[in-house]
Amino acid sequence: MLKKIFKYRGKRIRYSSRKLMTVYQFVLFIPVLIAICYFVGYKQVYSLVSSGETDWKLFILPAVLFLSVSVVANLLILLLKRVSIIRDGFFARVEQRQILAKMVIDNGYYNREQSKTSDGKTKEKIKFPKIYYRKRKETFEVVFETKGSKFQDKFLTIGGFLETALTADMIKKVDEKGFVIYELRANVFNKRISIREMVADKGKVQLMKGLYWHFDKDPHLLLGGGTGGGKTFTLLSLIYALVRVADIEICDPKRSDLMALGKLPLFEGKVHSGKDMVMCLKNAVSEMNDRFEEMNTSAKYKMGKNYAYYGLKPKFIVIDEFAAWMAELSNDFKTAGEVEEYLTQIVLKARQCGIFLIVAMQRPDGEFIKTALRDNFMFRMSVGRLSETGNWMIFGDENKNKNFKFVEKVDGEVVYGRGYVAKGGDVASELYSPFVPSDFDFIEEFLKISDELGYERIAEAEVQKLSKTIEKTFDREALSINDEESKEKAFLEELSQKY
Ligand SMILES: Nc1ncnc2c1ncn2[C@@H]1O[C@H](COP(=O)(O)OP(=O)(O)OP(=O)(O)O)[C@@H](O)[C@H]1O
């Protein structure tokens, strides 16, 4: 009851909050000011004055000392505030409160109140509506009182505006009696991890600091994104992290970057293209049935337990450029029907026995992936530039009002692999896929994993050749594809540009 009466909503944003950073500058300077007043003012100047000293030259040194210490101290305080903002510390939050106050003033979301002073003059006072700022563990909340105020309509749709004003990403909007609460996350870029930090176990894989794909809870991943946005690198990163703990099958209809992996012993016979991809899905369905059989007849059978309990390894089927593949099959109804059938079975049933799909495409158009099938991908990601419709197709109706941004540069540097992420049905939040440094050679790294897992080594010349196929400058010729395949590849390339 008490909680209902006194509900803490956060720090109130007031007219005075517009100068918060300056106030803190002064507050932090006060101890320094006291110290110089004591050591310079009292100890030096005062003693000179009280001893009757009149030579003005003797006062120069204390004056210079006073000024220089003040300037240096203020510069240090400014530096401290800057570092704190960059590190998302205390002053990042102070700055956010100040920005909110300025936003209210600049947009006129306040009321003017007139009052009479004791000497009969009229004084105008600016009164802010009730707006609160509250820090949460990884996020912060901005709360607006609605209660029929003249700004109510504005506050109910201010989410996108807040995202831009506070350079933050809205992750939730909650309507409460009399209030609307926006939950935002700032400085998401700082939460980016390097590919080498990606950790996976039998139930989850890390994507950013504090962000995991719990594939056993939110099965099947749908990844969308425009050309060159970082889809292939995201897929490769996921494969890199998961291959230590899972079986991976790869379908690459474009026969591009991922095809090269098939030449490594670690993925021998596990990288598919053409008709082989249909077989891969068919085999996954029969493996699913076998796994269920094994689980149900196990001596330690327990209702509701999943693959991990029975000691089974998770298995991932990675399909790149899915829409282009389906477009290619648009005249081959039989095969297209077969693919759809296998995918539906896996999507609907395979979670418990540990078989998961990771499907990537430019955008999940209903023409190529049925909405009912798409809705069962419980984890969604996008990287790179995507149209409004593309985002809506990936993240669904829940995100129709989300302000999806395309960010090309962060701190002046071009950024790759930026996009959004959401569990099915949630508001999408900003994502930076794990960073792949320029000295990271996927082939070399997969060979290291091969060694760890006891696979045979391949010749150095072959390693060199393969490394080139997954370089930052796509050298697709190195894949040694014959003429007939080249034609088909060009056709698929064309389709994947479109879809
Ligand atoms: N996570 C990342 N870390 C570092 N660089 C990246 C990352 N993602 C993408 N890049 C850079 O962007 C380039 C394009 O990425 P990628 O090949 O993954 O795009 P794509 O969306 O798969 O494009 P396409 O559809 O044309 O194959 C890479 O060669 C790399 O230089």
Side-chain angles (χ1 to χ4, degrees):
M1 189 66 183
L2 262 181
K3 260 193 173 175
K4 275 191 182 164
I5 300 171
F6 304 103
K7 185 157 183 183
Y8 180 68
R9 298 203 172 269
K11 289 198 167 74
R12 177 98 186 258
I13 304 296
R14 298 175 190 277
Y15 185 56
S16 55
S17 313
R18 76 197 186 286
K19 288 194 177 145
L20 269 180
M21 291 296 269
T22 318
V23 170
Y24 273 104
Q25 177 82 24
F26 185 67
V27 168
L28 288 178
F29 181 60
I30 287 177
V32 185
L33 190 66
I34 293 173
I36 36 183
C37 281
Y38 178 73
F39 289 110
V40 182
Y42 176 68
K43 288 260 183 188
Q44 294 187 19
V45 181
Y46 181 73
S47 54
L48 282 175
V49 172
S50 52
S51 66
E53 191 54 68
T54 51
D55 185 1
W56 63 270
K57 286 190 202 109
L58 289 175
F59 291 90
I60 294 179
L61 185 68
V64 170
L65 213 61
F66 188 91
L67 280 176
S68 47
V69 174
S70 303
V71 170
V72 171
N74 272 294
L75 287 176
L76 284 176
I77 295 167
L78 279 176
L79 190 75
L80 174 95
K81 290 198 299 192
R82 203 67 231 130
V83 172
S84 165
I85 289 171
I86 292 169
R87 294 190 165 182
D88 200 19
F90 174 76
F91 283 104
R93 295 186 280 287
V94 175
E95 193 187 41
Q96 281 162 345
R97 280 160 56 204
Q98 176 168 301
I99 292 173
L100 282 171
K102 286 192 169 162
M103 178 192 85
V104 173
I105 297 166
D106 291 349
N107 292 281
Y109 304 145
Y110 57 82
N111 297 305
R112 285 174 194 277
E113 273 180 10
Q114 299 204 328
S115 57
K116 286 235 185 278
T117 56
S118 52
D119 52 0
K121 287 186 185 156
T122 327
K123 212 177 127 197
E124 203 174 64
K125 209 176 151 200
I126 287 185
K127 194 142 194 290
F128 273 27
K130 281 191 178 145
I131 302 173
Y132 302 91
Y133 173 95
R134 186 172 191 183
K135 163 94 182 97
R136 293 279 182 190
K137 199 162 171 253
E138 298 279 344
T139 58
F140 62 93
E141 285 175 359
V142 184
V143 184
F144 294 89
E145 188 185 55
T146 44
K147 289 188 184 160
S149 83
K150 68 173 177 186
F151 308 115
Q152 174 172 291
D153 287 349
K154 189 71 225 163
F155 292 162
L156 285 174
T157 53
I158 206 167
F161 193 88
L162 285 179
E163 285 188 305
T164 314
L166 298 164
T167 334
D169 188 51
M170 186 176 98
I171 49 175
K172 219 193 264 170
K173 176 188 169 193
V174 183
D175 286 306
E176 250 185 48
K177 200 175 165 201
F179 291 92
V180 56
I181 305 164
Y182 294 93
E183 189 173 354
L184 297 114
R185 189 182 354 224
N187 261 317
V188 183
F189 186 65
N190 288 351
K191 303 207 165 49
R192 186 173 213 181
I193 56 168
S194 152
I195 183 167
R196 291 196 171 94
E197 293 169 73
M198 275 180 98
V199 201
D201 62 26
K202 281 190 171 179
K204 64 179 186 306
V205 55
Q206 188 167 12
L207 300 170
M208 288 202 298
K209 280 180 201 149
L211 175 74
Y212 292 82
W213 173 31
H214 290 268
F215 46 81
D216 54 353
K217 293 198 189 86
D218 306 302
H220 314 301
L221 165 65
L222 186 63
L223 170 66
T227 314
K231 254 182 298 105
T232 308
F233 266 44
T234 305
L235 286 182
L236 279 165
S237 308
L238 284 166
I239 296 171
Y240 168 76
L242 290 167
V243 73
R244 283 193 178 88
V245 292
D247 280 333
I248 312 256
E249 298 276 347
I250 300 164
C251 297
D252 185 2
K254 260 171 74 185
R255 295 191 177 84
S256 53
D257 310 75
L258 300 180
M259 243 3 233
L261 299 186
K263 305 226 167 100
L264 299 174
L266 188 60
F267 296 102
E268 204 179 331
K270 292 180 173 177
V271 184
H272 316 273
S273 62
K275 289 253 178 258
D276 198 18
M277 295 189 291
V278 187
M279 275 314 288
C280 164
L281 294 181
K282 188 176 179 187
N283 291 340
V285 172
S286 60
E287 182 172 347
M288 172 181 86
N289 293 329
D290 292 347
R291 282 185 174 215
F292 275 126
E293 178 71 27
E294 187 184 331
M295 286 160 64
N296 292 339
T297 54
S298 163
K300 55 181 208 172
Y301 174 80
K302 228 181 195 176
M303 214 161 94
K305 291 284 178 194
N306 76 1
Y307 63 98
Y309 171 79
Y310 299 97
L312 291 168
K313 234 181 172 185
K315 181 187 179 100
F316 291 86
I317 300 157
V318 180
I319 310 176
D320 197 6
E321 300 295 359
F322 179 76
W325 182 27
M326 287 299 100
E328 194 203 7
L329 292 179
S330 58
N331 292 324
D332 183 352
F333 299 116
K334 188 173 165 281
T335 316
E338 245 182 284
V339 171
E340 198 185 306
E341 165 64 23
Y342 298 143
L343 284 180
T344 309
Q345 290 208 43
I346 297 170
V347 154
L348 295 181
K349 296 197 283 185
R351 163 216 182 123
Q352 204 182 2
C353 72
I355 300 181
F356 307 100
L357 289 170
I358 298 178
V359 174
M361 65 193 94
Q362 301 259 336
R363 55 178 219 177
D365 219 303
E367 201 181 326
F368 305 111
I369 180 162
K370 292 249 162 66
T371 329
L373 188 62
R374 192 173 69 195
D375 289 350
N376 280 292
F377 280 76
M378 299 315 286
F379 203 76
R380 321 272 175 93
M381 278 163 64
S382 73
V383 282
R385 197 191 287 271
L386 244 143
S387 66
E388 218 173 278
T389 333
N391 276 313
W392 169 73
M393 283 171 182
I394 296 179
F395 297 107
D397 282 347
E398 301 79 6
N399 286 281
K400 266 207 151 149
N401 295 321
K402 167 109 192 150
N403 180 16
F404 287 99
K405 285 172 282 190
F406 173 66
V407 174
E408 202 174 358
K409 289 184 177 177
V410 173
D411 297 334
E413 300 259 333
V414 176
V415 67
Y416 297 100
R418 182 200 172 273
Y420 289 89
V421 60
K423 282 189 232 166
D426 280 1
V427 174
S429 60
E430 201 177 5
L431 166 86
Y432 287 90
S433 69
F435 178 68
V436 181
S438 53
D439 64 348
F440 188 92
D441 181 335
F442 276 105
I443 297 295
E444 274 296 336
E445 297 296 329
F446 281 126
L447 282 171
K448 280 187 203 155
I449 300 176
S450 279
D451 289 347
E452 275 171 36
L453 301 178
Y455 284 84
E456 55 169 304
R457 263 259 164 186
I458 55 167
E460 194 50 38
E462 183 71 358
V463 173
Q464 297 297 330
K465 201 169 135 199
L466 287 176
S467 286
K468 284 210 180 93
T469 62
I470 312 184
E471 265 182 354
K472 322 285 154 182
T473 52
F474 312 80
D475 180 5
R476 301 196 200 267
E477 302 320 309
L479 283 167
S480 65
I481 292 162
N482 64 35
D483 265 351
E484 205 182 302
E485 277 180 331
S486 298
K487 261 196 235 150
E488 198 189 336
K489 205 185 126 240
F491 174 59
L492 284 163
E493 189 82 49
E494 200 185 304
L495 289 174
S496 77
Q497 298 290 328
K498 276 167 103 182
Y499 308 108

